[in-house]
Amino acid sequence: MLQDPPVSDYDIHFELFGFKVRIAWSFWVGALIFGFYLVRGVNVMFINSGDGGPGQLPLLVLWSLCMLVSILIHELGHAFAFRQFGIQSSIVLYHFGGLAIPTSSFGMGRSAGALSEKQNLWVALAGPLAQIVSAFLLVGGLMVAGFRVEALAIIDSVVPLGLAKIPGVMDGDPITSHGLYAIVLFYIFPSVLWALLNLVPVWPLDGGRIMNSLVLINGGHREQALWVSVISAGLLTLYAFKNQQTFMGILFLSLAFSNYQMLQQTGRWR
């Protein structure tokens, strides 16, 4: 589920900032699945407002494009961090999000496996950080323009993060343009919520990689990081099923199980 999918004739290939990018056909399928209920809710809201709505299909297209930009920025964060340490990488966007895959070392004789744990930590952090920063640049622009950012309140309704309590974000005028409202929501939602979920200490998410590096930097063992991963994934599984977030629950349940299997394979229990 989290691995690089095979290349197909239906993939899109291009180059950006010197990085080769491949958009697997499964990315669009994942976008439709992940965005269906959000898009349906937004379309119903537009219809109930009395102004009509653009319809679910145009909104799904807009959601997919916003998701594409958000995840691409995330993977560019990883890719630029690799480049900072002399390692070139390629980017793949697929059904579960994206991957930045190390490919070469600019003739410096280095590989991703030769990075220090501090360097690994920065590479893992750079992706979600780039994604979150891009979202809050948009938030800041909306606030300067005099609009309130209702997208943050919608995120709080899914996961109570308290984002709507940030000073000033709920001041200002509502966004009356359906197109602008949808773009703002469809970009900020994955850029903030998914980036924060990606930072939870569960392997192989970025947060799990960060936890692994922190444990090793402080003289610990990988098994300790895996225990944190198993416990965190278990707690998130319970939270997700309790709050009827079925897909999220299945995801973290599978991650908890795979991390527990990794612990058993190490043969060490610390």
Side-chain angles (χ1 to χ4, degrees), residues 129-193:
L129 183 62
Q131 199 174 16
I132 292 171
V133 167
S134 71
F136 277 95
L137 285 175
L138 176 56
V139 169
L142 291 167
M143 292 171 65
V144 169
F147 294 112
R148 60 170 172 258
V149 191
E150 296 177 8
L152 296 179
I154 293 174
I155 293 175
D156 280 345
S157 69
V158 178
V159 180
L161 298 171
L163 297 174
K165 295 180 180 180
I166 297 173
V169 296
M170 296 306 291
D171 298 337
D173 300 321
I175 299 174
T176 56
S177 165
H178 289 174
L180 180 59
Y181 184 96
I183 290 172
V184 169
L185 175 60
F186 292 165
Y187 186 78
I188 291 178
F189 189 88
S191 299
V192 174
L193 183 58

